[in-house]
Amino acid sequence: MKGAATALALLAALAASLPATATEPAAQPVAESAAQLPATRSGLDIYARFREGLADPSCDKDSSSPRWRRHFAAAPQRMTAHDDDVLALFGYVVDALREASLPTEYALIPFVESGYRPGARSRGGPAGMWQMIAVTARNHHVPILPGYDGRLSPVESTRAAVRYLKTLHGMFAGDWRLAVMAYNAGEYRVFGALRRSGQVARDADVEKLTGLSGITRAYVRKLHALSCLLDRADDREQWLQALDRPVPVLEAVALPPQATSLEAWARTHGRDSAAVRRLNPAFAGGRIARGSRAQRVLAPAPHAGPATAHAATDPIPAADRAGSRPEAAAATSPVGTDPAAAPRTHTVARGESAWSIAHRHGLGTAALLARNGLSARSVLRPGMVLLLDAPTPVPSPEAATQAH
């Protein structure tokens, strides 16, 4: 995003003249109503949503750079670390991109730019997860005020980055590679490279573009190498098991006018004050400096009470759950099993995930997936019937005789 400064003022004016749906996601990255969100979700769910949204999931040995795979080799391990916010932040960005109908390759940009550190600063002036320079931030309505630098806000910077990527994605005929080159170097440089190469965006060969820097060319290779590292990481069972853990759901929350410090606000609203401070370095010293508009923080969703949590994760009435009625148990009893000990099943409802289903029934996500011949890459669709218990075979007459 650093190289786009010269053209972004014109782009911002153009974006302002378009209908809102042309430049903004259909919804915000996360809801601003805390009560409607679960407090945690499985890292496997975040990983599955990332994979489902990839524009280019191909990862043969010739399609990604060995150099950049080695460079980013530690990224998958960071996602499994319990004391690192990267997986929760990654999930927040993936959600924002999916809401905007954009490829999830874009969620890898903060890995390249900042290592997913909200407070990252570089020598030349770029700052934050998305490494914006000041002029870029202002052109995208990211406030920079005394005591508050919106570039260091995952909420403000992600909103601006997704809006800009949405615009670039449309400009370059939905080619994510050209869009990320433009994100790095500026859209007019990429348009110029296409023109000089005699190409058009809808069927461009990015390796044959002329007049672009080596850094811009490498940008696509870096993101694809990262994508392939994450795609292939699930070949390791140990990595999947480490990913199968509760990860805080992060949400953007508007601060009330009377709030003066992040710590006091977090305590009052039942949030993890240390996490709130850590995730929001935009507020210098944790103090809330008032600007001309309402400010928002990124915070872990609060834990709901037992009744609320059950209602939020269990959209199927108990009487309608497969296996909760005698006739349902009989209908799902496999041949060769004892109907009295028929394995339980679960019919997937809209919005459910493997983790939420496994959590509700006291199972591990990996066990649930394995029992149904699924992997972390599998997509659960409403109406699918999942086996919760392994079938109990009925002993044969010979076995019963030998047992006596």
Side-chain angles (χ1 to χ4, degrees), residues 18-34:
L18 295 175
T21 54
T23 57
E24 293 207 23
Q28 293 305 314
V30 289
E32 303 223 5
S33 173

Side-chain angles (χ1 to χ4, degrees), residues 222-296:
K222 290 177 182 179
L223 295 182
H224 192 53
L226 259 170
S227 174
C228 289
L229 275 172
L230 296 180
D231 178 76
R232 296 297 174 86
D234 68 359
D235 291 341
R236 303 193 297 274
E237 184 64 27
Q238 185 178 9
W239 187 79
L240 279 180
Q241 290 175 355
L243 210 62
D244 185 16
R245 60 183 172 86
V247 178
V249 174
L250 303 180
E251 58 174 347
V253 185
L255 291 169
Q258 67 273 20
T260 58
S261 80
L262 292 180
E263 188 171 350
W265 174 86
R267 286 198 311 267
T268 302
H269 291 81
R271 312 287 179 132
D272 181 338
S273 59
V276 170
R277 281 285 302 268
R278 197 168 60 245
L279 292 167
N280 296 277
F283 297 89
R287 295 181 298 276
I288 298 173
R290 283 294 158 200
S292 58
R293 65 177 183 178
Q295 292 175 323
R296 298 183 298 170

Side-chain angles (χ1 to χ4, degrees), residues 8-24 139 141 163 167 171 188:
L8 283 177
L10 293 175
L11 180 61
L14 172 64
S17 68
L18 295 175
T21 54
T23 57
E24 293 207 23
N139 285 337
H141 312 293
R163 186 191 299 118
T167 303
M171 280 183 170
Y188 293 117

Side-chain angles (χ1 to χ4, degrees), residues 99-364:
E99 289 289 341
S101 301
L102 290 173
T104 48
E105 276 92 351
Y106 298 145
L108 302 173
I109 291 174
F111 266 122
V112 172
E113 293 287 353
S114 67
Y116 261 98
R117 290 176 292 126
R121 290 186 180 274
S122 299
R123 267 186 205 172
M129 248 176 26
W130 297 88
Q131 287 293 281
M132 295 182 185
I133 58 174
V135 66
T136 299
R138 293 192 177 97
N139 285 337
H140 283 275
H141 312 293
V142 175
I144 301 176
L145 307 166
Y148 180 82
D149 187 340
R151 297 175 299 169
L152 306 182
S153 163
V155 176
E156 296 286 356
S157 63
T158 298
R159 186 181 184 187
V162 170
R163 186 191 299 118
Y164 183 41
L165 287 165
K166 182 85 169 176
T167 303
L168 294 175
H169 195 74
M171 280 183 170
F172 293 101
D175 190 319
W176 73 271
R177 302 166 305 166
L178 294 174
V180 298
M181 284 180 161
Y183 182 90
N184 177 257
E187 60 275 10
Y188 293 117
R189 283 198 180 96
V190 177
F191 276 129
L194 286 168
R195 186 175 60 254
R196 285 189 296 272
S197 306
Q199 299 189 54
V200 292
R202 65 177 174 272
D203 58 0
D205 183 342
V206 297
E207 294 299 329
K208 293 182 179 178
L209 292 179
T210 59
L212 293 174
S213 70
I215 292 173
T216 299
R217 290 176 175 282
Y219 213 78
V220 174
R221 300 186 195 117
K222 290 177 182 179
L223 295 182
H224 192 53
L226 259 170
S227 174
C228 289
L229 275 172
L230 296 180
D231 178 76
R232 296 297 174 86
D234 68 359
D235 291 341
R236 303 193 297 274
E237 184 64 27
Q238 185 178 9
W239 187 79
L240 279 180
Q241 290 175 355
L243 210 62
D244 185 16
R245 60 183 172 86
V247 178
V249 174
L250 303 180
E251 58 174 347
V253 185
L255 291 169
Q258 67 273 20
T260 58
S261 80
L262 292 180
E263 188 171 350
W265 174 86
R267 286 198 311 267
T268 302
H269 291 81
R271 312 287 179 132
D272 181 338
S273 59
V276 170
R277 281 285 302 268
R278 197 168 60 245
L279 292 167
N280 296 277
F283 297 89
R287 295 181 298 276
I288 298 173
R290 283 294 158 200
S292 58
R293 65 177 183 178
Q295 292 175 323
R296 298 183 298 170
V297 293
L298 191 65
H303 288 274
T308 305
H310 180 74
T313 60
D314 195 357
I316 306 174
D320 292 336
R321 286 188 214 127
S324 64
R325 294 168 295 173
E327 60 270 28
T332 57
S333 297
V335 176
T337 63
D338 180 1
R344 297 173 299 159
T345 60
H346 177 92
T347 303
V348 178
R350 186 178 299 278
E352 287 191 306
S353 65
W355 181 82
S356 65
I357 295 168
H359 183 69
R360 183 192 312 171
H361 295 285
L363 304 173

